[in-house]
């Protein structure tokens, strides 16, 4: 009669093999923790959906789903920017009204010494440039805007995820399109890269209501902005009424540029 030991030899060898495998894995992790972590990180990154390496959703900053590629995102933004009806509204009915509101915002910033007539200024995501024109009207002549679609002479072509300017070019940067950033960390990093040391960045954002269907993220507090502005100090937060945006956030760049990878 066969005994239990000779009846299931395969099972015994399987248990032995698994035990040895776990032992070897344990020894590898113990002796080479950094290599194991790198291997694990590489595996996770390779299996992420497109562009998720650039996206940082948190409790107070949610990236909207639905963008299968960066080109898909750009095309959706262009659908709004190139909309002929919207462009007509922006350049006619809304033109003077928005310039007047922006002018009041910038006049207040001048009175608080965040902005001066001698400042070199950039408006990020400026569309047809009402904010650029407002800066010029309050005396800040050296002002320009960037957007995916240029509107000369106020706005030149540029992607705010990859600004077409050298490091430390501007004294002051303004944007009210943070909600359109698919890669918030890259959006902010480009502002800090092109901003001079001690320069000012001003964002108008919405915390109490969600953006339109073209928005790429939803912001619920100022905390994510403070975290994203790695080389700047939060100077001031105040309530505003700016075309659906309710909060003005002011940062001052305090650290020199360092190379970052995204």
């Amino acid at each position: 009669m066969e005994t239990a030991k000779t009846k299931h030899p395969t099972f015994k060898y399987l248990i032995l093999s698994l035990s040895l495998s776990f032992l070897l894995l344990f020894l590898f992790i113990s002796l080479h923790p950094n290599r194991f972590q790198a291997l694990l990180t590489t595996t996770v990154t390779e299996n992420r959906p497109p562009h998720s390496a650039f996206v940082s959703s948190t409790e107070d900053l949610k990236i909207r789903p639905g963008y299968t590629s960066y080109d898909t995102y750009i095309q959706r933004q262009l659908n709004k920017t190139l909309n002929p009806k919207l462009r007509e509204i922006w350049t006619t009915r809304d033109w003077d009204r928005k310039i007047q509101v922006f002018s009041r915002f910038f006049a207040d910033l001048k009175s608080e010494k965040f902005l001066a007539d001698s400042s070199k200024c950039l408006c990020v995501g400026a569309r047809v440039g009402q904010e650029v024109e407002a800066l010029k009207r309050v005396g800040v002549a050296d002002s320009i805007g960037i957007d995916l679609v240029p509107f000369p002479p106020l706005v030149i072509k540029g992607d705010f995820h990859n600004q077409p300017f050298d490091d430390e070019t501007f004294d002051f940067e303004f944007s009210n399109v943070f909600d359109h950033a698919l890669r918030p960390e890259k959006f902010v990093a480009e502002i800090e890269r092109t901003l001079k040391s001690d320069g000012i960045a001003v964002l108008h954002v919405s915390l109490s209501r969600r953006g339109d269907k073209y928005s790429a993220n939803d912001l619920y507090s100022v905390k994510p902005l403070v975290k994203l502005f790695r080389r700047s100090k939060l100077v001031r937060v105040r309530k505003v009424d700016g075309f659906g945006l309710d909060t003005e956030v002011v940062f001052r760049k305090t650290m020199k540029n360092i190379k970052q990878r995204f």
Side-chain angles (χ1 to χ4, degrees):
M1 178 181 295
E2 292 184 331
T3 64
K5 291 183 179 181
T6 59
K7 191 173 183 179
H8 301 291
T10 303
F11 180 76
K12 179 175 69 174
Y13 291 131
L14 177 62
I15 295 297
L16 180 61
S17 298
L18 288 173
S19 299
L20 288 173
S21 298
F22 281 117
L23 178 61
L24 290 172
L25 179 62
F26 176 77
L27 290 173
F28 177 79
I29 295 173
S30 301
L31 295 173
H32 306 285
N34 292 334
R35 290 179 63 185
F36 177 76
Q37 182 63 37
L39 177 63
L40 182 63
T41 302
T42 300
T43 302
V44 171
T45 301
E46 288 176 348
N47 286 281
R48 286 174 176 170
H51 305 290
S52 62
F54 300 95
V55 174
S56 57
S57 285
T58 65
E59 183 177 347
D60 288 336
L61 175 60
K62 303 292 185 183
I63 305 302
R64 293 188 181 183
Y67 296 107
T68 56
S69 69
Y70 192 69
D71 288 341
T72 302
Y73 157 77
I74 290 294
Q75 187 56 56
R76 185 166 180 80
Q77 298 305 310
L78 287 173
N79 288 344
K80 179 176 184 177
T81 306
L82 290 173
N83 185 304
K85 291 183 179 180
L86 288 176
R87 292 189 77 81
E88 182 180 359
I89 291 173
W90 295 337
T91 54
T92 56
R93 188 189 72 189
D94 281 358
W95 182 256
D96 287 329
R97 180 176 67 90
K98 287 195 172 184
I99 289 174
Q100 290 174 10
V101 174
F102 281 129
S103 294
R104 289 197 294 269
F105 289 145
F106 294 138
D108 289 344
L109 290 166
K110 283 184 68 176
S111 69
E112 296 176 272
K113 308 302 181 183
F114 293 132
L115 179 63
D117 288 349
S118 60
S119 297
K120 185 178 181 66
C121 300
L122 174 66
C123 295
V124 179
R127 293 203 181 101
V128 295
Q130 294 107 326
E131 52 266 71
V132 181
E133 179 63 24
L135 280 166
K136 293 177 180 294
R137 291 191 186 185
V138 299
V140 189
D142 194 358
S143 302
I144 193 68
I146 60 168
D147 205 278
L148 292 174
V149 179
F151 191 80
L154 299 176
V155 181
I156 66 173
K157 184 176 181 179
D159 183 347
F160 53 51
H161 290 111
N162 187 24
Q163 289 189 21
F165 305 108
D166 293 334
D167 293 1
E168 300 189 355
T169 297
F170 299 100
D171 302 294
F172 178 93
E173 297 194 31
F174 170 81
S175 183
N176 62 356
V177 297
F178 177 81
D179 61 302
H180 287 264
L182 180 64
R183 305 169 179 172
E185 56 270 63
K186 185 64 170 159
F187 176 92
V188 171
E190 282 294 276
I191 289 177
E192 290 192 312
R193 180 184 67 79
T194 57
L195 197 62
K196 295 177 182 178
S197 294
D198 204 43
I200 294 293
V202 177
L203 299 186
H204 282 187
V205 297
S206 177
L207 303 181
S208 63
R209 56 181 290 186
R210 306 286 58 88
D212 62 21
K213 63 181 181 179
Y214 298 99
S215 296
N217 70 71
D218 292 301
L219 184 67
Y220 297 90
S221 80
V222 175
K223 292 179 182 178
L225 295 179
V226 175
K227 182 179 269 188
L228 288 170
F229 275 87
R230 300 176 183 178
R231 301 196 298 278
S232 304
K233 178 181 178 182
L234 178 64
V235 178
R236 202 229 16 233
V237 179
R238 70 166 181 168
K239 291 295 182 182
V240 294
D241 183 9
F243 316 111
L245 307 178
D246 55 36
T247 304
E248 181 178 83
V249 190
V250 180
F251 289 92
R252 185 183 298 276
K253 183 177 175 181
T254 57
M255 296 174 59
K256 292 185 178 180
N257 288 346
I258 56 175
K259 290 184 178 180
Q260 295 188 14
R261 294 182 63 188
F262 292 91

